[in-house]
Amino acid sequence: MGINMNFIKQAQILQEKLKKMQEELVHKQATGSAGGDMVRATVNGRHELVQISIAREVVNPDDIEMLEDLIVAAVTDAMHKMDEIIKMEMAKITGGLSIPGLEVPF
């Protein structure tokens, strides 16, 4: 019975740490770019797009598809960077152990 109680206590501690991390991640941001920084996108820890910056010289009414591609690439870059930040934060909590099914739900 002592082992089960210890396991439950450890799970509760982990759950509390995850909740705190979720609260802190809201304030973290990651910025990605495309086209040599012509398009920049910033996301927060909830993977919400919070800012986009587009250089005037990349806006060409005759080539909207290129601008669309640059925006998608910048947002994707920002999301990947935020994923890395989340992985690093998770590693701090789990001691680097990969725990199947353990994610940061938002």
Side-chain angles (χ1 to χ4, degrees):
M1 182 169 171
I3 293 174
N4 283 338
M5 293 304 287
N6 188 33
F7 179 76
I8 291 170
K9 179 75 171 164
Q10 292 290 334
Q12 289 172 336
I13 291 169
L14 182 60
Q15 187 175 27
E16 289 170 17
K17 287 181 179 181
L18 282 172
K19 184 177 181 198
K20 184 175 187 226
M21 186 185 85
Q22 285 176 321
E23 293 167 1
E24 292 171 356
L25 280 173
V26 173
H27 305 290
K28 292 193 182 280
Q29 294 186 342
T31 300
S33 66
D37 270 354
M38 298 290 277
V39 176
R40 295 172 51 85
T42 303
V43 298
N44 66 17
R46 288 189 177 187
H47 288 98
E48 298 168 333
L49 181 63
V50 296
Q51 183 179 3
I52 192 142
S53 171
I54 301 170
R56 180 178 306 277
E57 51 271 15
V58 79
V59 179
N60 178 353
D62 295 325
D63 194 2
I64 297 297
E65 292 81 17
M66 180 191 68
L67 180 56
E68 291 169 342
D69 289 345
L70 290 172
I71 292 169
V72 169
V75 172
T76 300
D77 186 37
M79 294 291 186
H80 286 301
K81 288 179 179 178
M82 182 51 66
D83 287 342
E84 288 303 312
I85 291 170
I86 291 170
K87 283 180 189 176
M88 288 189 311
E89 294 297 318
M90 286 292 288
K92 290 178 190 176
I93 292 174
T94 63
L97 296 175
S98 178
I99 302 173
L102 186 60
E103 300 174 351
V104 180
F106 285 107

